[in-house]
């Protein structure tokens, strides 16, 4: 159903090892970060008598980057459906993961006596579903994505330097050059800002007139929602107008299409950002690396352009 998912999928919520301790964690597409924080502010830790959000900030936690160790991979990296993976965990070595000791008895005695954290997990899960499915304005925030994309440029640049990236010549030519990618990411930020300005205008129009939405405003809102939902899918390297010259997908791993997220070439679990660029770095082909920078920049730029209302 991948074509159907690319056409209509809004988000994928993944829970794998749901509860193995008291500490909440999450990895997600940046589009889902703000909605997650809203939800965590409404769910209390069953022991600490604080909201999960307040504990999150006390611990200075951050939403992680999705790797490739669970079922969200097909949705995020292949179908372009924004995904989130979350749960509660304990000590790294305290959970008998995938062993004969991973039993109901272990959970009731050690993992989560009374199933209180399972209850909190269900609350987070359900509130995420309600937020994403019932709000008139689908709560996906592109501003967070723009910030993440910018930080990922630093990550991939550091990785390239670590792996012997060539330096530009005396005229500033050649070398590892992410100028085009910087421009594309900046464009995402500008498009996101305009989108927020439109959202503010829409709220003023609707709630300033007794919460009455005209047919024209409803049509514009549907267009807005489609554009935000499509943003992640626009980051796929697939055949479409403006990207009709194949091959498409990661070389040798063509099932992976996302130009921002994908599993690392030599690791089955670790996350990797800008995978087209990273794979070329791992192959040590610096001409290909620059080609993949330009390709990634073109796709990110087109995704930013499509956001404009």
């Amino acid at each position: 159903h991948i074509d159907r998912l690319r056409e209509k999928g809004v988000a994928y919520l993944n829970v794998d090892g749901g509860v193995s301790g008291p500490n909440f964690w999450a990895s997600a597409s940046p589009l889902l970060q703000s909605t997650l924080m809203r939800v965590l502010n409404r769910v209390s830790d069953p022991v600490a008598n604080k909201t999960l959000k307040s504990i999150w900030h006390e611990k200075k936690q951050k939403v992680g980057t999705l790797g490739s160790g669970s079922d969200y991979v097909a949705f995020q990296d292949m179908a372009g459906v924004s995904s989130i993976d979350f749960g509660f965990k304990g000590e790294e070595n305290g959970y008998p993961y995938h062993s004969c000791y991973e039993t109901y008895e272990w959970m009731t005695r050690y993992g989560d006596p009374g199933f209180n954290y399972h209850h909190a997990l269900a609350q987070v899960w359900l509130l995420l579903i309600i937020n994403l499915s019932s709000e008139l304005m689908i709560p996906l925030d592109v501003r967070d994505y723009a910030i993440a994309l910018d930080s990922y440029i630093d990550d991939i640049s550091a990785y390239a330097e670590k792996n012997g990236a060539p330096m530009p010549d005396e005229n500033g030519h050649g070398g590892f050059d992410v100028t085009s990618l910087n421009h594309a990411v900046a464009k995402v930020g500008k498009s996101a800002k305009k989108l927020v300005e439109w959202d503010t205008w829409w709220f003023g129009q609707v709630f300033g007139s007794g919460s009455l939405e005209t047919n024209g405003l409803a049509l514009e809102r549907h267009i807005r929602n489609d554009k935000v939902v499509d943003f992640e899918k626009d980051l796929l390297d697939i055949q479409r107008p403006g990207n009709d010259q194949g091959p498409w997908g990661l070389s040798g791993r063509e099932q992976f299409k996302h130009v921002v997220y994908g599993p690392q070439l030599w690791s089955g679990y670790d996350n990797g950002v800008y995978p087209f660029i990273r794979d070329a770095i791992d192959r040590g082909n610096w001409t290909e690396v620059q080609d993949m920078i330009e390709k990634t920049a073109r796709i990110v730029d087109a995704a930013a352009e499509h956001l404009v209302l």
Side-chain angles (χ1 to χ4, degrees):
H1 302 288
I2 195 165
D3 292 333
R4 179 68 172 165
L5 287 168
R6 286 176 182 165
E7 180 186 4
K8 294 294 184 181
V10 173
Y12 174 66
L13 279 55
N14 190 80
V15 172
D16 193 340
V19 178
S20 60
N23 305 309
F24 184 82
W25 65 273
S27 297
S29 162
L31 288 179
L32 292 162
Q33 288 183 18
S34 61
T35 296
L36 175 64
M37 290 301 108
R38 288 172 58 190
V39 166
L40 295 186
N41 199 39
R42 296 182 60 188
V43 179
S44 294
D45 182 281
V47 175
N49 197 29
K50 300 177 182 178
T51 66
L52 294 179
K53 182 179 179 181
S54 64
I55 295 173
W56 182 276
H57 288 310
E58 286 173 8
K59 293 181 177 180
K60 298 181 179 179
Q61 290 179 258
K62 293 184 178 179
V63 176
T65 304
L66 289 170
S68 57
S70 195
D71 300 322
Y72 53 76
V73 171
F75 293 87
Q76 179 78 36
D77 301 343
M78 301 180 194
V81 177
S82 301
S83 302
I84 181 170
D85 188 26
F86 58 96
F88 288 90
K89 64 182 179 181
E91 298 299 325
E92 290 295 330
N93 297 321
Y95 176 43
Y97 183 63
H98 281 188
S99 76
C100 62
Y101 301 103
E102 186 183 2
T103 63
Y104 179 80
E105 181 184 10
W106 180 89
M107 187 61 70
T108 56
R109 293 182 63 183
Y110 306 109
D112 187 19
F115 286 84
N116 296 314
Y117 283 98
H118 280 78
H119 184 187
L121 178 73
Q123 290 178 318
V124 172
W125 208 341
L126 182 59
L127 286 170
L128 281 170
I129 293 170
I130 291 172
N131 272 265
L132 291 166
S133 63
S134 65
E135 293 195 14
L136 291 174
M137 206 83 78
I138 296 176
L140 300 174
D141 197 332
V142 185
R143 292 174 298 180
D144 289 331
Y145 217 116
I147 294 169
L149 287 172
D150 191 50
S151 70
Y152 297 159
I153 293 178
D154 294 336
D155 293 341
I156 199 67
S157 297
Y159 188 72
E161 183 177 349
K162 177 184 175 182
N163 284 272
M167 299 297 292
D169 60 26
E170 64 273 11
N171 298 315
H173 302 304
F176 182 81
D177 185 0
V178 293
T179 301
S180 59
L181 190 54
N182 276 317
H183 288 325
V185 169
K187 191 172 181 179
V188 173
K190 292 176 182 177
S191 296
K193 182 175 182 292
K194 290 179 180 178
L195 198 65
V196 171
E197 291 171 351
W198 188 91
D199 290 353
T200 302
W201 173 83
W202 179 89
F203 276 107
Q205 293 294 309
V206 173
F207 294 103
S209 59
S211 300
L212 296 175
E213 184 184 43
T214 65
N215 289 339
L217 283 172
L219 177 61
E220 290 188 61
R221 175 173 55 80
H222 283 294
I223 293 172
R224 177 265 183 206
N225 282 342
D226 286 344
K227 285 181 176 289
V228 172
V229 169
D230 285 346
F231 178 72
E232 194 95 54
K233 296 153 189 170
D234 288 339
L235 294 172
L236 297 178
D237 180 33
I238 58 177
Q239 186 174 11
R240 58 162 62 97
N243 193 47
D244 52 4
Q245 296 297 315
W248 299 278
L250 284 172
S251 178
R253 305 188 289 157
E254 285 77 11
Q255 71 271 30
F256 299 117
K257 309 291 188 183
H258 206 297
V259 299
V260 179
Y261 298 113
Q264 293 183 17
L265 182 59
W266 303 112
S267 172
Y269 283 90
D270 295 328
N271 63 67
V273 295
Y274 294 130
F276 286 71
I277 303 170
R278 187 183 179 102
D279 276 16
I281 293 172
D282 287 340
R283 285 190 283 269
N285 187 332
W286 296 102
T287 299
E288 183 191 6
V289 169
Q290 201 58 46
D291 289 342
M292 291 302 104
I293 291 173
E294 301 308 318
K295 179 173 192 170
T296 300
R298 285 196 303 272
I299 291 173
V300 172
D301 187 274
E305 189 68 34
H306 187 212
L307 275 174
V308 178
L309 289 165

